[in-house]
Amino acid sequence: MATSRFTDQDGRLDELYGDVAAADLQPLWKLSGLLTPEPVPRTVPYRWRAEALSTLAARSGELVGIDRGGDRRVLACANPGLGGAPYATSTMWAGMQYLGAGERAPAHRHTPAALRFVLAGEGAWTLVDGDPLPMATGDLVLTPSMTFHEHHNPGAEPMMWLDVLDLPVVAALDAVFFEEGADTQGGPRSDPDSAAERLWGAGPGLVPGGLGKARHEAAHSPLLVYRRAGTDKALAAQLAATGGTEAQIRYTNPQTGADVMPTMRCEMRRVRAGSRSRTTRQTGSRVGAVLAGAGEVLIGDQRFALAPGDVFAVPSWAPYGLAAEEHLDVFSVSDAPVLEALGLYREREC
Ligand code: GTQ
Ligand code: FE2
């Protein structure tokens, strides 16, 4: 029905809009783009080449020291869609961290949860709440929310790894807290593994019984490191068992089967040489990194060539798929646990 008693000719309307703005109010009927039929992410499909990441990180290592103040020598992947924010996607920080031979990054803790994935190299170790975690190619290391962590590289070679944090989520919720910690004296460690692995990584489906309650109730996985040998074996066995062209595993909390941390889901996907993966879309964004192989990634309507060490960003609801020229192993992190917890997770085959 026409609402003809309202006319734009009415001069009082301009006055109303002026007064509305002056009162820090906005009329919904003048706003658009709020309730879109589908997600309209600002994050754009993007790929950072390994070559640029590693050469610029190494140059930073020559010119920039690690001291209190800087603390971490990290080049943050800045998605060009995010207006200059140092975030890979709207919900995830991803950065290449470089630690020179003999260097140490001092202890601290914070509410944003972090993980490290080693794309190449070994020799450094991260100390998480006192537990030393040696890091090597293909390993996933967790530093959950509010755990003290420091990085040491007692070796003769520099080392680099990919950091992923839920910082944009925690920052959006205005829940960022940070504290410095007391440094542990560094030095070469002889431990080949961590206490977390000895206790929680003994064997598939086997978890310790009779431990204190606190340990079971932590919001994150008590297993703080997931080794390449384990994921490699699982992927190979899955491919053999299914006879398919791709395999996928999720890193889980051995105690609960939940994601390793409350805000981030970690996965590894393997696509056989000459094959294409399924293409899917899901709500929430993803950061991917190529551990091995060569091929192409489809993100939205764009294709990017992939080589080992490349990092890429998948916006929410963008079709995502992999094509392998050579047997491709891609590690990725998504914010899926957050969307699931809020009842906002959707997934669809494209
Ligand atoms: O290694 O503790 O990339 O605190 C960003 C913030 C790494 C770290 C990052 C951090 C760290
Ligand atoms: Fe940190």
Side-chain angles (χ1 to χ4, degrees), residues 72 108 110 116 149:
R72 296 295 188 263
H108 67 220
H110 35 73
R116 337 269 158 203
H149 52 284

Side-chain angles (χ1 to χ4, degrees), residues 72 74 93 95 97 108 110 116 149 151 163 165:
R72 296 295 188 263
V74 178
W93 163 286
Q97 180 157 176
H108 67 220
H110 35 73
R116 337 269 158 203
H149 52 284
H151 313 302
D163 292 320
L165 284 83

Side-chain angles (χ1 to χ4, degrees), residues 26-280:
Q26 293 188 25
L28 172 60
W29 62 92
K30 289 285 189 186
L31 303 175
S32 59
L34 289 178
L35 293 165
T36 56
E38 291 190 354
V40 182
R42 293 200 302 143
T43 304
V44 295
Y46 202 73
R47 181 229 26 223
W48 293 265
R49 287 186 188 275
E51 167 72 13
L53 291 169
S54 60
T55 54
L56 294 171
R59 276 169 62 191
S60 306
E62 279 163 29
L63 296 173
V64 183
I66 297 188
D67 312 283
R68 280 289 180 197
D71 265 22
R72 296 295 188 263
R73 191 192 289 112
V74 178
L75 292 178
C77 295
N79 190 291
L82 297 177
Y87 299 149
T89 73
S90 51
T91 58
M92 280 178 286
W93 163 286
M96 199 51 70
Q97 180 157 176
Y98 184 95
L99 201 55
E103 283 186 326
R104 191 173 72 191
H108 67 220
R109 64 178 180 172
H110 35 73
T111 48
L115 61 86
R116 337 269 158 203
F117 188 79
V118 184
L119 289 161
E122 61 184 345
W125 49 276
T126 290
L127 197 74
V128 180
D129 278 342
D131 194 13
L133 313 172
M135 300 195 281
T137 307
D139 291 350
L140 168 66
V141 171
L142 309 181
T143 54
S145 180
M146 287 313 271
T147 53
F148 278 111
H149 52 284
E150 58 189 87
H151 313 302
H152 296 245
N153 184 2
E157 296 295 325
M159 194 172 157
M160 266 183 270
W161 59 82
L162 178 72
D163 292 320
V164 182
L165 284 83
D166 58 7
L167 177 59
V169 173
V170 181
L173 297 170
D174 285 331
V176 173
F177 291 85
F178 174 96
E179 272 172 51
E180 287 183 359
D183 288 339
T184 305
Q185 283 314 302
R189 302 289 300 219
S190 52
D191 324 39
D193 60 5
S194 57
E197 285 168 279
R198 269 170 267 142
L199 206 50
W200 293 95
L206 302 173
V207 297
L211 288 183
K213 242 184 159 226
R215 186 112 208 187
H216 296 257
E217 285 173 357
H220 59 81
S221 172
L223 183 60
L224 297 171
V225 54
Y226 296 74
R227 301 285 174 200
R228 183 184 199 171
T231 52
D232 193 58
K233 192 175 160 195
L235 289 165
Q238 189 180 131
L239 275 183
T242 63
T245 54
E246 64 172 309
Q248 191 170 324
I249 52 136
R250 182 188 296 188
Y251 297 79
T252 59
N253 176 333
Q255 178 68 35
T256 62
D259 287 294
V260 290
M261 297 190 286
T263 51
M264 292 188 279
R265 172 166 299 165
C266 298
E267 291 166 298
M268 182 85 87
R269 197 167 184 183
R270 173 170 293 176
V271 184
R272 270 196 218 271
S275 298
R276 217 166 255 287
S277 76
R278 293 180 309 133
T279 301
T280 55

